[in-house]
Amino acid sequence: MKRVGLIAKPHAEGLRELLQQLLPWLEQRQIEVFLDHDTAAAIEHEVHYPRAALPELADLFIVLGGDGTLLSVTRLLDYNRKVPILGVNMGSLGFLTETTTQELFSHLEKILQGNYETQDRMRLRTCVNRQGDRLVQPLVLNDVVINKGALARILSLEIYVDDLYVTTYRADGLIVSTPTGSTAYSMAAGGPILHPT
């Protein structure tokens, strides 16, 4: 891996100090780094790229932040461009961003030596059909929530899987979750926690 896309939660505590260590560390190892606009602004770095351009430039993503930051990066990737993501927890929970800032450099050293395993995660492809228009949404790693809007009302939802009718729910909404997303809204609503694979 010679090209790293680096995306951070811009106002994460300790971000500036971590980037001031990480960027020279990567440079010493001849790793080209591509920062998005917000990450570059956090350290007043002059060279930056639009987030949407980073998947084509990077062999690896390093995400500094929390689970929300990591989820935003997964939406950049489509099925054709599989870029491994190293999530570094600078938030509070860190279900998805498992690496701590203290482990970052030792983990990166192993990754650069080819000593790592990736874990494929299921994602959902969604679209919304509204008044005859099909609005394609990005791939999602966590979940899709269907509800009536700001004012909760009972909906009648017919559920099909691969054109096979499953059931009809009467509820104020429905959460369709991946195994990864089972620790998010699904768990909060009383759903089961599933192993990510």
Side-chain angles (χ1 to χ4, degrees), residues 101-115:
T101 55
Q102 293 80 19
E103 299 168 322
L104 172 59
F105 295 97
S106 64
H107 284 191
L108 268 177
E109 195 69 66
K110 290 177 185 173
I111 290 168
L112 296 178
Q113 293 169 2
N115 185 13

Side-chain angles (χ1 to χ4, degrees), residues 67-116:
D67 290 351
T69 309
L70 189 138
L71 289 170
S72 73
V73 171
T74 66
R75 287 191 290 271
L76 299 174
L77 302 172
D78 64 22
Y79 281 121
N80 300 322
R81 185 75 174 122
K82 293 185 179 182
V83 180
I85 300 172
L86 176 63
V88 181
N89 187 13
M90 297 188 79
S92 54
L93 288 177
F95 277 116
L96 302 175
T97 52
E98 294 179 4
T99 301
T100 66
T101 55
Q102 293 80 19
E103 299 168 322
L104 172 59
F105 295 97
S106 64
H107 284 191
L108 268 177
E109 195 69 66
K110 290 177 185 173
I111 290 168
L112 296 178
Q113 293 169 2
N115 185 13
Y116 67 93

